[in-house]
Amino acid sequence: MSANNVKPFTVFVEGNIGSGKTTFLEHFRQFEDITLLTEPVEMWRDLKGCNLLELMYKDPEKWAMTFQSYVSLTMLDMHRRPAPTPVKLMERSLFSARYCFVEHIMRNNTLHPAQFAVLDEWFRFIQHNIPIDADLIVYLKTSPSIVYQRIKKRARSEEQCVPLSYIEELHRLHEDWLINRIHAECPAPVLVLDADLDLSQITDEYKRSEHQILRKAV
Ligand code: DGT
């Protein structure tokens, strides 16, 4: 809740791996009265000394279920975290975990149907029983070839084995969810930004979203 007990205007920042979600959130650090919640990747890399992200990339058949289960917990924690400001900006959501990442590993049979069923039941239970506020989704739309180059360049050790085909598939799943709307639920209106632009031009593109996000902060 914000200081005056009104729910914060809640924004999910979504987009493929390497689309610039963290940079987008950093852009809003200059403004007051916004709570920024970056994705808990560091928690996934160090859960009591275990790197779940690495385990998942190295042996997905064995670790995807465990990884997704922990992703759900950490995302739910972010959704439920109170914001003392009128605006709350979150990197990703339980929805992209389910409709992009879990969907992918279900379709390519990395998950056993029973494992998928358990994750899906958790997702549905949470959706129906725990309030998840969402007022706007900012979709940082990219071309797979461009984010693939960025991922190679940033060289996060766990992601070195990621093939272009995986990035292409994740792109399609984001498009199906946010543009083609193949799932019944899209929790909020979607603002699409061109996130192919390089760092020198991207600030102007980010500014296009300021009006919609910041008017809630005044
Ligand atoms: P950015 O700032 O747009 O470059 O964002 P990234 O790439 O740091 O963050 P993100 O969420 O796209 O990906 C972080 C890593 O975690 C990446 O290797 C993909 C993986 N990841 C994130 N969420 C999930 C998930 O729900 N399931 C799976 N399998 N992987 C996930």
Side-chain angles (χ1 to χ4, degrees):
M1 290 278 177
S2 62
N4 56 2
N5 263 0
V6 175
K7 279 185 187 170
F9 184 78
T10 302
V11 182
F12 303 159
V13 183
E14 303 281 3
N16 210 338
I17 302 174
S19 56
K21 296 178 291 296
T22 307
T23 317
F24 181 86
L25 262 80
E26 284 306 317
H27 173 79
F28 282 86
R29 201 171 286 286
Q30 61 183 300
F31 302 109
E32 288 178 3
D33 273 349
I34 299 190
T35 299
L36 302 178
L37 295 179
T38 49
E39 193 174 44
V41 185
E42 289 317 313
M43 293 168 73
W44 307 342
R45 298 173 99 183
D46 183 8
L47 173 62
K48 302 200 166 139
C50 300
N51 186 337
L52 286 181
L53 185 67
E54 181 179 69
L55 290 169
M56 185 274 298
Y57 274 123
K58 281 199 171 146
D59 191 349
E61 273 82 12
K62 185 167 177 191
W63 289 102
M65 173 78 189
T66 309
F67 177 73
Q68 290 305 151
S69 158
Y70 192 54
V71 168
S72 301
L73 176 64
T74 55
M75 294 308 308
L76 183 58
D77 174 49
M78 279 170 63
H79 284 297
R80 299 299 300 150
R81 217 174 287 172
T85 54
V87 177
K88 175 177 170 182
L89 232 62
M90 278 185 58
E91 185 171 354
R92 287 205 184 279
S93 62
L94 273 170
F95 296 91
S96 47
R98 167 62 186 85
Y99 293 139
C100 301
F101 291 94
V102 172
E103 189 74 15
H104 171 70
I105 50 181
M106 180 269 286
R107 289 187 191 181
N108 74 0
N109 294 321
T110 297
L111 283 182
H112 188 283
Q115 294 175 314
F116 171 70
V118 170
L119 289 173
D120 196 46
E121 286 296 304
W122 266 110
F123 177 72
R124 284 165 194 274
F125 178 86
I126 291 168
Q127 250 191 322
H128 293 130
N129 294 283
I130 303 178
I132 305 285
D133 295 323
D135 297 293
L136 178 70
I137 297 177
V138 174
Y139 173 33
L140 300 179
K141 187 179 167 96
T142 50
S143 309
S145 57
I146 289 191
V147 287
Y148 183 70
Q149 291 311 321
R150 288 186 198 154
I151 293 166
K152 294 285 151 203
K153 204 166 152 194
R154 83 174 168 200
R156 187 182 272 158
S157 58
E158 296 87 349
E159 293 169 351
Q160 286 319 291
C161 55
V162 167
L164 177 59
S165 57
Y166 177 57
I167 301 301
E168 288 171 337
E169 179 59 13
L170 280 180
H171 173 72
R172 278 191 289 273
L173 290 164
H174 278 85
E175 292 277 304
D176 279 349
W177 170 41
L178 296 171
I179 306 287
N180 305 324
R181 308 290 177 100
I182 68 159
H183 303 285
E185 316 96 317
C186 185
V190 179
L191 172 68
V192 183
L193 297 184
D194 176 1
D196 274 350
L197 298 170
D198 65 30
L199 273 177
S200 61
Q201 297 167 302
I202 199 82
T203 309
D204 286 341
E205 186 66 6
Y206 288 170
K207 279 183 193 293
R208 287 214 296 127
S209 68
E210 282 178 11
H211 171 66
Q212 280 194 50
I213 294 174
L214 294 175
R215 72 195 160 112
K216 306 293 172 182
V218 292

